[in-house]
């Protein structure tokens, strides 16, 4: 399969970008029409100076192609703050300590950073109604991905920025299989439920699926070393639980996946499989890299740590490597569990918001101007293509809707020279513009494997939520949970009295306080 050359920023985007497609008019008049009462500014009016800080894609020089394009279009003047990617937070902290606060802070700050900056008076609280007024198309786009987008920027009953999403986070992790092994054991398609999966894993282990005459294979391994929240996630998901997420219990109260009966039953099954020898005993020390290596080296025949974009044959890191090794990578479906329903665990689409400097609270004219620019670069075809891909014919060409890097731009500093992706913090985060990043084949693959009939996606009820107790107890509780779960799978502790003791210890070690706070937040949001 011929692989497309990637446009600037896509190496990051294919791991996290959105994919659904919708139309968008290319109409310069839309810039002002977001506010019905607005009118074009007189040409003689002095440009508004806007300071922008971004910890990615720093332009090589000021007055670059994209900067001049936006400055002329909106009668503004940008002052660029450039950070070294590895040390951006330290550099920004020095700025903020001196009182030099950028107007736009397009940085990868965590929710903890947002809380700190809000308490320090560094970032502005912005009216949700105002954002909706001046960015209607963008807000409609991201709300279609997750209607809870405003939760991420909510703190002390105020909104602290323009919401951002990672659309892939709204899709779940998927099981994937060695297609040649499936055929060798008599399966024409991947398993659809836990019973079929058990049969497949058993035969992957015992029936010499690679045909080398040796008993040197296992059904699967688990991510026990570096990301325990993804350890056997498809098996837990089939029971309707994600062990490291808050969820609603059957009584309508907030609970935590780790201590539920669904989790207990999933652990029982995993222990049964471990005792049967169909789970690689090295799962305890396996990370994502070793899981990948074991799969392509024909030690295991199934893994469940990939999402759709990891599995796409053209450029997903699992898909590409499997293809390179001659493995027919077969993407499966979320497995139906004991209740007959299909569930998939997902990280969630919400991200910390785009921040404005606190000074913008008192500068309505600049604040509105920035919102208008953000609406233009995120939802207008010309605005998006120019700020993310540059100049057609020079840095990119269109193949249908897909933007493809030119030979002149491949492997050069042209992107930095043109200022690509620096002035638009929403690159790859707008569903309507996904068609410019991904081929029709990739979009079709996503729809095929993620839009499964009857599928329920599980995301954390408290995703990207400011929780004081979580900040205080999360490390302790995660360690307690990880240690018990590994021992439960291997049979070192049982899932009856041992699980009861773990649950009691979890609640006593701060878990109950977390649940109480989560319940309070949930009730406040439900009013």
């Amino acid at each position: 399969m011929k692989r497309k050359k990637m446009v600037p920023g896509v190496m990051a985007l294919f791991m996290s970008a959105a994919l659904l497609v919708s139309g968008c008019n290319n109409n310069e008049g839309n810039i002002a029409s977001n506010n019905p009462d607005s009118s074009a500014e007189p040409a003689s009016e002095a440009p508004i100076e806007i300071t922008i800080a971004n910890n990615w894609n720093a332009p090589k020089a000021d007055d670059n192609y994209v900067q001049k394009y936006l400055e002329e279009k909106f009668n503004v003047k940008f002052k660029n703050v450039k950070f070294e990617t590895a040390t951006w937070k330290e550099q920004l902290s020095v700025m903020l300590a001196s009182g030099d606060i950028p107007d736009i802070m397009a940085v990868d700050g965590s929710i903890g950073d947002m809380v700190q900056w809000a308490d320090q008076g560094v970032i502005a609280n912005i009216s949700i109604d105002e954002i909706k007024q001046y960015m209607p198309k963008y807000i409609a786009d991201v709300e279609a991905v997750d209607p809870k987008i405003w939760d991420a920027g909510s703190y002390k009953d105020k909104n602290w920025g323009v919401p951002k999403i990672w659309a892939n986070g709204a899709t779940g992790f998927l099981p994937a299989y060695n297609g040649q092994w499936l055929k060798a054991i008599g399966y024409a398609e991947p398993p659809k439920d836990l019973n079929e999966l058990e049969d497949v894993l058993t035969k992957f282990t015992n029936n010499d699926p690679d045909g080398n005459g040796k008993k040197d294979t296992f059904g699967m391994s688990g991510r026990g070393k570096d990301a325990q929240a993804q350890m056997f996630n498809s098996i837990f998901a089939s029971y309707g639980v994600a062990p490291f997420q808050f969820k609603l219990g059957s009584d309508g109260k907030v609970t935590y996946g780790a201590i539920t009966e669904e989790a207990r039953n999933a652990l029982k099954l995993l222990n049964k499989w471990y005792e049967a020898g169909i789970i690689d005993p090295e799962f305890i020390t396996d990370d994502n890299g070793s899981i990948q290596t074991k799969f392509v080296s024909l030690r295991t025949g199934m893994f469940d740590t990939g999402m759709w974009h990891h599995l796409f044959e053209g450029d997903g890191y699992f898909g590409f490597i499997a293809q390179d090794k001659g493995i027919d990578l077969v993407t499966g479906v979320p497995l139906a569990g004991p209740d007959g329903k299909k569930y998939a665990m997902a990280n969630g689409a919400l991200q910390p918001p785009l921040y404005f400097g606190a000074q913008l609270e008192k500068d309505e004219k600049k604040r509105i101007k920035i919102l208008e620019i953000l609406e233009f670069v995120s939802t207008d075809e010309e605005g998006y293509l120019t700020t993310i891909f540059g100049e057609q014919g020079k840095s990119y060409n269109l193949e249908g809707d897909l933007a493809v890097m030119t030979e002149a731009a491949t492997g050069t500093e042209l992107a930095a020279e043109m200022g690509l992706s620096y002035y638009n913090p929403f690159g790859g985060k707008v569903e309507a513009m996904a068609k410019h990043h991904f081929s029709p084949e990739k979009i079709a693959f996503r729809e095929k494997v993620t839009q499964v009939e009857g599928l329920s996606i599980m995301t954390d009820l408290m995703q990207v939520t400011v929780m004081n107790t979580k900040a205080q107890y999360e490390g302790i509780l995660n360690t307690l949970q990880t240690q018990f779960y590994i021992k439960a799978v291997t049979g070192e502790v049982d899932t009856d009295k041992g699980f009861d003791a773990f649950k009691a210890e979890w609640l006593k070690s701060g878990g109950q306080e977390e649940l109480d706070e989560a319940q309070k937040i949930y009730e406040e949001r439900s009013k």
Side-chain angles (χ1 to χ4, degrees):
M1 180 175 182
K2 186 177 179 180
R3 296 166 59 211
K4 302 287 186 185
K5 292 179 180 178
M6 294 190 181
V7 294
V10 168
M11 285 303 292
L13 292 170
F14 82 73
M15 295 296 291
S16 60
L19 273 197
L20 299 178
V21 180
S22 61
C24 185
N25 294 326
N26 180 14
N27 183 350
E28 294 181 11
N30 286 343
I31 301 170
S33 64
N34 295 334
N35 179 5
D37 299 323
S38 67
S39 58
E41 293 184 57
S44 59
E45 188 169 323
I48 296 175
E49 183 176 283
I50 299 172
T51 304
I52 179 171
N54 192 330
N55 65 306
W56 292 99
N57 307 307
K60 194 170 183 180
D62 295 340
D63 298 322
N64 54 70
Y65 176 79
V66 175
Q67 180 174 345
K68 288 190 288 187
Y69 167 80
L70 291 174
E71 288 176 347
E72 292 172 5
K73 200 166 197 70
F74 286 92
N75 192 31
V76 297
K77 180 64 180 176
F78 283 105
K79 180 181 177 183
N80 304 323
V81 178
K82 306 170 190 176
F83 295 132
E84 295 292 333
T85 300
T87 58
W88 72 266
K89 189 172 287 189
E90 292 84 352
Q91 293 173 276
L92 177 59
S93 295
V94 172
M95 284 187 65
L96 300 181
S98 68
D100 187 8
I101 304 174
D103 295 314
I104 301 173
M105 292 168 57
V107 295
D108 292 334
S110 66
I111 288 298
D113 292 322
M114 183 189 79
V115 169
Q116 178 181 346
W117 292 334
D119 287 342
Q120 292 174 343
V122 168
I123 56 176
N125 66 80
I126 314 169
S127 161
I128 293 175
D129 289 339
E130 184 175 80
I131 297 173
K132 287 182 175 180
Q133 178 181 358
Y134 292 98
M135 299 185 68
K137 291 182 181 179
Y138 173 76
I139 294 303
D141 189 287
V142 294
E143 282 186 332
V145 175
D146 193 330
K148 299 178 181 179
I149 57 169
W150 303 103
D151 289 354
S154 177
Y155 176 59
K156 292 185 175 179
D157 297 322
K158 295 179 180 179
N159 176 66
W160 297 94
V162 177
K164 291 191 302 183
I165 56 99
W166 175 51
N168 283 348
T171 65
F173 287 87
L174 297 166
Y177 307 86
N178 183 315
Q180 288 96 331
W181 285 20
L182 284 175
K183 290 179 182 178
I185 65 170
Y187 274 77
E189 59 183 10
K192 298 182 291 297
D193 57 35
L194 282 177
N195 290 331
E196 287 189 358
L197 178 62
E198 182 173 330
D199 183 57
V200 165
L201 297 181
T202 300
K203 291 174 179 176
F204 279 176
T205 303
N206 299 325
N207 289 22
D208 190 24
D210 59 353
N212 69 353
K214 302 176 182 178
K215 194 176 186 304
D216 56 358
T217 59
F218 292 94
M220 68 180 300
S221 188
R223 197 168 175 176
K225 180 180 179 181
D226 66 333
Q228 293 85 7
Q230 295 176 20
M231 186 172 64
F232 307 117
N233 67 73
S234 61
I235 285 81
F236 284 104
S238 68
Y239 281 86
V241 65
F244 286 81
Q245 292 182 1
F246 288 93
K247 61 172 289 185
L248 283 182
S250 58
D251 59 357
K253 299 290 186 180
V254 177
T255 187
Y256 194 67
I259 60 173
T260 61
E261 289 303 301
E262 295 93 336
R264 184 203 298 264
N265 291 329
L267 287 169
K268 285 180 180 291
L269 180 65
L270 287 166
N271 173 245
K272 172 189 171 185
W273 289 359
Y274 182 86
E275 297 290 348
I278 63 179
I279 292 176
D280 189 334
E282 294 179 1
F283 84 89
I284 300 169
T285 56
D286 277 345
D287 56 19
N288 200 43
S290 55
I291 286 174
Q292 175 180 296
T293 299
K294 287 182 175 182
F295 183 80
V296 299
S297 64
L298 305 184
R299 178 180 171 95
T300 58
M302 178 262 193
F303 64 91
D304 61 357
T305 56
M307 298 169 67
W308 74 268
H309 53 289
H310 304 138
L311 305 173
F312 181 63
E313 183 182 76
D315 55 23
Y317 68 81
F318 272 119
F320 176 73
I321 293 176
Q323 181 188 33
D324 187 57
K325 297 291 185 179
I327 297 173
D328 177 22
L329 183 66
V330 175
T331 301
V333 295
L335 301 155
D339 64 359
K341 297 179 181 179
K342 303 185 191 76
Y343 303 93
M345 187 271 280
N347 290 321
L350 303 189
Q351 291 188 319
L354 172 70
Y355 307 111
F356 289 179
Q359 64 275 12
L360 264 65
E361 287 185 13
K362 299 179 180 180
D363 194 337
E364 181 182 31
K365 186 173 183 179
K366 183 185 289 191
R367 191 174 68 245
I368 291 173
K369 176 65 69 175
I370 292 173
L371 292 173
E372 290 175 340
I373 293 172
L374 292 174
E375 172 79 347
F376 175 70
V377 300
S378 63
T379 64
D380 182 275
E381 292 276 350
E382 177 188 302
Y384 189 88
L385 286 168
T386 301
T387 55
I388 297 298
F389 301 106
E391 183 178 359
Q392 189 169 1
K394 182 177 180 180
S395 56
Y396 80 97
N397 287 308
L398 288 176
E399 295 181 4
D401 289 320
L402 179 66
V404 180
M405 181 182 288
T406 63
E407 290 293 333
T410 304
T412 71
E413 294 186 355
L414 186 59
E417 291 171 0
M418 297 182 74
L420 305 188
S421 298
Y422 180 81
Y423 303 91
N424 185 349
F426 304 122
K429 300 180 184 296
V430 184
E431 292 285 284
M433 298 298 160
K435 59 189 178 182
H436 298 311
H437 294 281
F438 302 108
S439 66
E441 294 82 7
K442 192 167 186 178
I443 292 172
F445 177 78
R446 184 205 197 208
E447 292 176 349
K448 175 185 175 182
V449 300
T450 63
Q451 297 181 13
V452 178
E453 184 178 358
L455 175 63
S456 297
I457 298 293
M458 299 183 299
T459 57
D460 196 330
L461 193 66
M462 295 288 116
Q463 63 168 315
V464 198
T465 297
V466 178
M467 287 184 61
N468 295 326
T469 54
K470 191 172 184 179
Q472 183 176 357
Y473 297 115
E474 185 174 35
I476 298 171
L477 295 176
N478 283 355
T479 299
L480 180 67
Q481 177 180 347
T482 298
Q483 291 175 346
F484 171 75
Y485 270 46
I486 288 175
K487 290 178 180 179
V489 173
T490 60
E492 188 176 339
V493 295
D494 65 42
T495 49
D496 292 317
K497 291 183 179 179
F499 188 89
D500 293 337
F502 155 71
K503 180 177 179 179
E505 183 67 19
W506 188 91
L507 291 169
K508 186 176 69 174
S509 300
Q512 185 62 59
E513 292 178 55
E514 280 197 8
L515 290 178
D516 291 344
E517 185 180 11
Q519 181 67 34
K520 180 180 178 182
I521 292 171
Y522 174 74
E523 290 175 358
E524 290 174 349
R525 288 176 177 171
S526 301
K527 290 179 181 178

